[in-house]
Amino acid sequence: MAVCGDGFVYVDEEDCEDGNTDDADECSQDCWLKRRVFVTQEAYTGDLGGVIGADNKCEIAAAKAGLEGEFRAWISDGNFGLAVRFNSMNFRGWYVLTTGENLVYGWDDLTSGEPLLKPIAVNQYAEVLPVLIDFAWTNTGPGGHSAQAPDCISWTGGGGAGHAGMVNATNSEWTSYTERDCLGTVAHLYCFQVAQPQN
C-alpha cells in the first residue's frame, strides 16, 4: 500500500515524495503535485471540433502560456465522459488557479457538488478574465458527468444551443447554468491539468 512520507513514489498512486505531509508546499499531504486550472483567454462559438477539438484548444492555450503537462477541457457530450478523459479519479492533491490560489482539493471534492474556493475566472496567463464574456461551454453537471443538455451537436457547431457554466460562480452554476446559441454566442473553455510533464 502506498504511504505518503515513506520515501517511495508509487506509480498511479502518488506524484511526488517529499517526506512530509505539508499541504502548503508543491507536494500535497497525499503526495500529489498541484494541478493547474484556467479559463481560456480566447472565446469560441459552439463549433469546437468536438470534445477532442476542445481538448486541443486547452493544450494550445496552455503551451502558449508556458504551462507544461497535459490539459483537458471540462466539457462533455453524449459519448465522452470526463472521468475517462481526465483519468483523474484517484487524484488527491490541490487543483489551483494559475495564480497559485487553491481552487479545490482532489477529484472527489471537485465532483462533490460543493462550492469551489474561488471562481475559475483566471486565464492561462494568470490574469483575471474581464467580465465581458462570462460563460464557458460545458454540458457538464457538478458531478463531472454529462448534463445531458444541448451540446451544439457534440460541439460541432451544428446549430441549436449549447449548455454553459458561469465563469464568475463558485456554486454549481460554474459548470451548469444556462443554454446559449451555438453559432451566435462565443464562450470560453475551462482547462484542467490532468498529468504532470514527463521527465
Side-chain angles (χ1 to χ4, degrees):
M1 180 177 289
V3 177
C4 188
D6 65 3
F8 299 95
V9 177
Y10 294 82
V11 177
D12 296 328
E13 293 295 325
E14 298 174 331
D15 272 340
C16 54
E17 179 61 71
D18 62 358
N20 67 58
T21 55
D22 183 1
D23 250 349
D25 60 17
E26 187 68 16
C27 189
S28 77
Q29 64 180 1
D30 291 310
C31 287
W32 290 89
L33 297 173
K34 295 175 182 179
R35 294 188 179 179
R36 273 62 185 174
V37 180
F38 63 86
V39 62
T40 56
Q41 181 180 52
E42 301 79 12
Y44 313 91
T45 69
D47 186 2
L48 298 169
V51 167
I52 301 303
D55 286 343
N56 288 341
K57 287 173 173 53
C58 281
E59 289 280 7
I60 291 168
K64 284 182 177 179
L67 300 177
E68 298 182 332
E70 296 179 31
F71 286 81
R72 297 285 180 271
W74 179 271
I75 199 167
S76 303
D77 66 10
N79 300 310
F80 289 89
L82 285 181
V84 173
R85 286 175 41 244
F86 278 40
N87 191 27
S88 296
M89 295 180 71
N90 63 342
F91 178 63
R92 296 183 307 279
W94 279 105
Y95 286 103
V96 298
L97 299 174
T98 50
T99 55
E101 297 171 283
N102 290 338
L103 180 69
V104 66
Y105 192 82
W107 179 260
D108 288 345
D109 285 355
L110 175 64
T111 56
S112 69
E114 293 297 313
L116 305 175
L117 295 176
K118 300 275 186 179
I120 309 175
V122 176
N123 68 21
Q124 62 266 39
Y125 301 105
E127 301 165 339
V128 176
L129 198 70
V131 186
L132 298 175
I133 304 165
D134 48 8
F135 301 111
W137 298 119
T138 62
N139 186 29
T140 304
H145 306 292
S146 172
Q148 298 300 315
D151 62 5
C152 300
I153 307 182
S154 296
W155 304 112
T156 60
H163 197 67
M166 174 69 77
V167 169
N168 289 300
T170 55
N171 62 11
S172 62
E173 291 180 346
W174 75 267
T175 184
S176 183
Y177 177 69
T178 188
E179 293 177 10
R180 286 290 183 267
D181 179 73
C182 292
L183 299 180
T185 303
V186 291
H188 304 275
L189 293 172
Y190 294 127
C191 301
F192 283 70
Q193 188 178 29
V194 299
Q196 296 295 328
Q198 296 297 314
N199 294 329

